[in-house]
Amino acid sequence: MTDRFTGRQAIVTGGGSGIGEATCRLFAREGAVVTVLDRDADSAARVAAEIGGRAAVVDVRDADAVTLAVNEAAEAMGGLTDLVNNAGIGTAVPLLNYTDKQWALLIGVNLTGTFYGIRAAGPIMLAAGKGSIVNNASLTAIRPTRGEGPYSAAKAGVLALTQNAALELGPAVRVNAVAPGMIHTPLTEMVVSNDEWRTAAESGTPAGRIGTAEEVAEVIAFLASDAASYVTGQTIVVDGGSVLPSLQSDALLRAISQAGFG
Ligand code: NAD
């Protein structure tokens, strides 16, 4: 086991479930003191208790509550070296059927919540002269998915925000993002537990399977770690290769290659 995060203090938003929970566990295992920030009090308390960390019950859409929780966490942990803006929600509705309320919710949690986290943590990290922020975006920021218009727009905004924050908070603070494809968490349980949908997702992915929360946490940890000390403003897609398009079927490829060159 490595100890990449010894002496570091991290806040993980949405840390009570899925990718956020796996990230809390990995950071804590590798030495960090972790604040598990989530709107769900029970999940935050459960994960915090299991990793010996702190829980903060906050809705990331609430600017004042985010600022207060970030300041309290930094105070209680003796500093703040890492922020993982991971809290997010998704849904699928045809674009023209989205209501104002649904639009505001998706943008509010996924994009505005990420901004609030950066705005609260940035000054603390700049004052300390060091820090890392990793934002959890989505493959849908890069490749549209039917039914996920506001979610895609919010996540594309997260990528833009990542680049902007990297420019404005450097050199002291690095800011990067991950863009996961289909990952098995409570968010995607409905798709994963449906044989037809799961098979479709798996067959469109070179890795041949759906990813795990731990596999995304590993990439978040890499970006946060000193191993990525010269990486900022970047996004790593964690999708088993599903973004790679191919209109050429295996059968067509075989036929063409058997026909030979020329
Ligand atoms: P999840 O539902 O398992 O976990 C999300 C956590 O965020 C939950 O604990 C939830 O309580 C918390 N949360 C939601 N809204 C919140 C709010 N307003 N304030 C504070 N906490 C809030 O989902 P997950 O799959 O682990 O997703 C984590 C992140 O990864 C999200 O940003 C999601 O968009 C992104 N993502 C997930 C997938 C996937 O396939 N699972 C793919 C791409 C991106």
Side-chain angles (χ1 to χ4, degrees):
M1 192 180 79
T2 57
D3 59 352
R4 287 177 287 182
F5 299 114
T6 298
R8 288 170 63 163
Q9 306 89 20
I11 297 174
V12 180
T13 74
S17 172
I19 296 167
E21 176 176 351
T23 303
C24 288
R25 290 184 187 284
L26 181 56
F27 274 55
R29 213 163 50 236
E30 299 209 18
V33 182
V34 178
T35 292
V36 183
L37 187 151
D38 206 290
R39 68 174 170 187
D40 186 296
D42 291 346
S43 317
R46 176 182 56 81
V47 176
E50 287 173 16
I51 65 171
R54 301 177 66 252
V57 183
V58 175
D59 185 324
V60 296
R61 290 172 297 167
D62 182 338
D64 291 343
V66 170
T67 301
L68 184 66
V70 167
N71 287 329
E72 282 181 354
E75 179 79 28
M77 297 192 296
L80 179 64
T81 58
D82 290 273
L83 171 66
V84 180
N85 278 310
N86 162 80
I89 52 166
T91 191
V93 174
L95 187 57
L96 301 186
N97 295 350
Y98 272 100
T99 63
D100 293 359
K101 200 173 163 190
Q102 290 169 324
W103 169 269
L105 181 64
L106 286 158
I107 299 294
V109 177
N110 294 300
L111 178 57
T112 312
T114 300
F115 166 62
Y116 288 161
I118 293 171
R119 192 177 59 181
I124 298 170
M125 293 178 174
L126 287 176
K130 62 180 178 189
S132 155
I133 298 173
V134 181
N135 299 320
N136 196 345
S138 167
L139 190 58
T140 62
I142 298 160
R143 186 188 64 186
T145 305
R146 277 176 199 282
E148 296 188 11
Y151 178 78
S152 298
K155 294 299 194 178
V158 168
L159 297 190
L161 203 52
T162 299
Q163 293 179 331
N164 216 113
L167 273 178
E168 296 192 24
L169 302 187
V173 182
R174 295 184 302 105
V175 187
N176 291 291
V178 290
M182 178 68 78
I183 308 298
H184 190 179
T185 69
L187 185 70
T188 54
E189 188 56 44
M190 206 177 90
V191 177
V192 177
S193 59
N194 178 301
D195 285 346
E196 188 189 334
W197 296 341
R198 190 187 59 251
T199 304
E202 288 171 347
S203 63
T205 305
R209 63 180 175 80
I210 285 164
T212 67
E214 288 72 22
E215 288 174 307
V216 182
E218 286 288 354
V219 180
I220 292 172
F222 162 70
L223 286 169
S225 76
D226 292 344
S229 55
Y230 202 50
V231 181
T232 192
Q234 302 305 307
T235 299
I236 298 185
V237 174
V238 191
D239 73 332
S242 69
V243 74
L244 304 171
S246 179
L247 297 175
Q248 193 177 58
S249 68
D250 286 345
L252 179 57
L253 175 60
R254 270 196 303 278
I256 293 170
S257 57
Q258 276 163 14
F261 288 103

